[in-house]
Amino acid sequence: MANHIQAIRGMHDVLPDQAPLWQYAEQVIREVLGAYGYNEIRTPIVEKTELFKRSIGEVTDIVEKEMYTFDDRNGDSLTLRPEGTAGCLRACLEHGLLANQAHRLWYYGPMYRHERPQKGRYRQFYQLGVETYGMAGPDIDAELILIMHRLWQRLGIREKIRLEINSLGTIAERTAYRESLVGYFKTHLDQLDADSLRRLETNPLRILDTKNPAMKAVVSGAPALMDYLGEASRAHFDGFRQILDDLGVAYEINMRLVRGLDYYCNTVFEWVTDELGSQGTVCAGGRYDGLIEQLGGKASHAVGFAMGIERVLALVESLADVPVSRTVDAYLIRVGERAERVGMRFAESLRSEVPELKLQVHCGGGSFKNQFKKADKSGAEFAVILGDDEVSRGEIAVKPLRLENVAETSQASMSERQAVDFFRQRYGKK
Ligand code: ATP
Ligand code: MG
């Protein structure tokens, strides 16, 4: 075989047969976010390395070992974004969007992390991120949950995903907790793995987040952060839960749920599935008021989440019925010199009259038989047929290709006007 250049490990092409599934999910995402009045923000894929170090923190998996970092030609250290929160907040601070204003934003696009590729874990993957600023909650915290809940329902995967929530309290509360946690782990040093021993010094809460099954016992015996929350933090958490209860959104409280980052406070949550092995976290987020100041802004409020699209699509794909849309509704067959010219013109006027119709014109000539084969392969519901006979009679033939979809099964001849009406009725805006 020829020596083809291959894609980078862990970075995938979305091939044309997969694209409709992506477009379907993206469309549903846009509609759901629109229904809550959220607006899109687009930021660069590359940012200064310093931004991620300062926001995500030096002692995290991402910054320690997962970033794609390189020197720009002028020597600046740049990084392909491993997540979107930092860039979104950077942009809002830079453009002064946060001055006493509330914002509800979303972004969508590829993220980059140098991890060991496996099912559901890639080096380029897509995230939907939602970030809100300037709202103290807990109503906005709950609104984010409602958005995701609605999204799962719309995508038909609600039954496959469950919600886990926790509260991390304030930084002061966490500091007190941290001490007792470190005290506890120090009396169980023999049960900690190498990663956890290191984290004991740097980020002990992350030990609770371990994926090592051998540490399950020691982790489940650890003191619970919930017992260290003050009155305000408790009230926030209760208020959050109240809204979920009122709206019938089921959840579990998972006391071991810590998002590894220091800037989180109060509400944290994850949506998890049992259907994707150890890549079971589909969506995760929480409140991160502290990050705004950490990046040089005036103290305010922030809460958001990020969702892994590949993991969501894996769940959607496993459904029996995925309502992906057709690429081609009608396929125009043209045989003969006059038919080719008339056909091209008719196709353009049909597109002007019925913009919703997906019409593919056969190009490159060939016999009727050959063109019909292509029409069938295109997945179109109808073949639109123009031979020189039709042209002489001023007619167009329309033939249904998928019998189950239409009552009439045979080919029908009609005028141009009738053909336009025929397609407008079927595909035009209702
Ligand atoms: P994990 O525990 O699976 O490594 P994480 O805590 O690193 O996830 P976040 O940084 O919270 O993940 O990112 C939010 C979501 O993005 C995850 O819940 C997941 O769905 C998705 N995600 C994260 N890393 C990857 C990856 N390498 N490949 C595919 N999806 C990913
Ligand atoms: Mg990770």
Side-chain angles (χ1 to χ4, degrees):
M1 221 181 79
N3 183 16
H4 290 295
I5 295 174
Q6 313 241 309
I8 296 166
R9 204 163 102 84
M11 304 203 181
H12 295 282
D13 304 304
V14 176
L15 296 178
D17 65 336
Q18 282 288 305
L21 177 71
W22 283 71
Q23 290 169 347
Y24 158 69
E26 289 163 3
Q27 176 65 22
V28 172
I29 287 170
R30 282 200 171 80
E31 281 175 21
V32 169
L33 289 162
Y36 288 82
Y38 283 59
N39 202 357
E40 186 181 1
I41 181 166
R42 302 187 188 193
T43 62
I45 282 174
V46 188
E47 299 271 1
K48 291 185 181 154
T49 303
E50 190 55 29
L51 175 69
F52 300 115
K53 287 196 171 161
R54 243 167 82 184
S55 61
I56 301 169
E58 302 265 2
V59 269
T60 52
D61 282 353
I62 293 180
V63 173
E64 277 179 343
K65 51 189 185 198
E66 295 176 358
M67 294 205 302
Y68 278 92
T69 297
F70 59 95
D71 283 346
D72 198 356
R73 286 177 191 276
N74 61 8
D76 292 345
S77 179
L78 306 182
T79 293
L80 298 185
R81 63 184 185 192
E83 51 92 59
T85 300
C88 182
L89 190 48
R90 193 254 329 124
C92 288
L93 288 170
E94 184 170 336
H95 299 283
L97 301 190
L98 299 190
N100 300 318
Q101 291 175 56
H103 285 281
R104 290 172 160 89
L105 304 174
W106 63 272
Y107 50 82
Y108 175 84
M111 305 294 162
Y112 301 83
R113 297 186 194 176
H114 197 276
E115 305 196 63
R116 196 170 66 78
Q118 51 197 294
K119 193 176 163 17
R121 190 173 295 286
Y122 310 108
R123 290 181 174 175
Q124 174 183 285
F125 60 98
Y126 280 72
Q127 271 188 351
L128 164 72
V130 172
E131 317 284 357
T132 73
Y133 304 121
M135 290 167 278
D139 43 5
I140 186 68
D141 304 18
E143 181 176 284
L144 295 185
I145 301 288
L146 296 175
I147 289 177
M148 290 173 273
H149 175 71
R150 185 173 294 276
L151 194 56
W152 312 141
Q153 281 180 328
R154 284 283 308 272
L155 292 172
I157 56 175
R158 180 66 189 94
E159 302 305 314
K160 297 169 180 282
I161 307 180
R162 58 175 199 280
L163 170 63
E164 298 187 349
I165 63 171
N166 194 19
S167 173
L168 297 183
T170 63
I171 292 182
E173 288 154 9
R174 233 155 44 228
T175 308
Y177 169 68
R178 191 183 155 124
E179 262 172 49
S180 73
L181 189 65
V182 170
Y184 167 81
F185 282 131
K186 283 204 165 145
T187 61
H188 296 80
L189 283 179
D190 53 326
Q191 293 178 54
L192 300 186
D193 61 15
D195 252 359
S196 302
L197 284 171
R198 198 165 41 88
R199 284 181 177 146
L200 193 54
E201 304 302 326
T202 54
N203 197 347
L205 263 70
R206 274 306 297 281
I207 301 176
L208 300 173
D209 201 21
T210 176
K211 291 194 174 93
N212 180 356
M215 296 218 352
K216 222 174 164 173
V218 66
V219 161
S220 68
L225 174 50
M226 201 61 81
D227 297 331
Y228 289 74
L229 296 193
E231 211 171 302
S233 294
R234 255 172 216 288
H236 189 104
F237 193 52
D238 291 344
F240 173 62
R241 290 180 56 192
Q242 182 72 61
I243 300 171
L244 301 186
D245 291 339
D246 284 349
L247 288 155
V249 179
Y251 57 85
E252 298 152 36
I253 297 176
N254 174 0
M255 308 251 216
R256 312 281 157 229
L257 177 62
V258 292
R259 306 285 307 146
L261 311 178
D262 276 349
Y263 56 63
Y264 276 106
C265 60
N266 289 314
T267 316
V268 287
F269 52 81
E270 284 189 359
W271 293 86
V272 287
T273 179
D274 297 323
E275 295 188 18
L276 301 177
S278 55
Q279 273 59 253
T281 309
V282 172
C283 181
R287 179 165 283 278
Y288 58 94
D289 294 349
L291 183 60
I292 301 182
E293 276 183 291
Q294 201 169 307
L295 288 184
K298 220 176 94 201
S300 181
H301 304 281
V303 46
F305 67 80
M307 186 179 108
I309 302 296
E310 287 83 354
R311 294 183 192 181
V312 170
L313 289 184
L315 293 178
V316 173
E317 234 177 348
S318 69
L319 298 171
D321 258 334
V322 185
V324 297
S325 63
R326 266 187 312 280
T327 313
V328 181
D329 299 321
Y331 191 95
L332 180 77
I333 291 171
R334 304 172 295 156
V335 180
E337 215 171 287
R338 282 171 67 206
E340 288 195 353
R341 292 179 59 191
V342 171
M344 200 57 113
R345 185 193 49 69
F346 173 64
E348 282 305 299
S349 79
L350 187 52
R351 291 184 182 115
S352 303
E353 301 254 11
V354 192
E356 300 80 11
L357 177 70
K358 295 169 183 161
L359 173 66
Q360 205 169 77
V361 172
H362 181 89
C363 289
S367 65
F368 269 116
K369 192 168 161 223
N370 182 290
Q371 296 198 29
F372 258 114
K373 267 194 201 150
K374 298 273 164 55
D376 201 47
K377 228 181 134 192
S378 76
E381 287 194 302
F382 291 94
V384 182
I385 305 147
L386 269 174
D388 282 342
D389 281 355
E390 278 82 9
V391 172
S392 328
R393 290 199 300 269
E395 281 180 350
I396 285 165
V398 175
K399 184 178 166 53
L401 297 174
R402 327 252 151 230
L403 301 185
E404 66 275 15
N405 290 333
V406 272
E408 4 26 343
T409 57
S410 60
Q411 183 168 324
S413 282
M414 45 186 99
S415 68
E416 279 201 15
R417 196 66 252 155
Q418 286 169 324
V420 166
D421 289 342
F422 176 87
F423 285 110
R424 178 182 292 125
Q425 217 174 34
R426 277 208 158 60
Y427 298 98
K429 261 213 181 81
K430 292 286 170 320

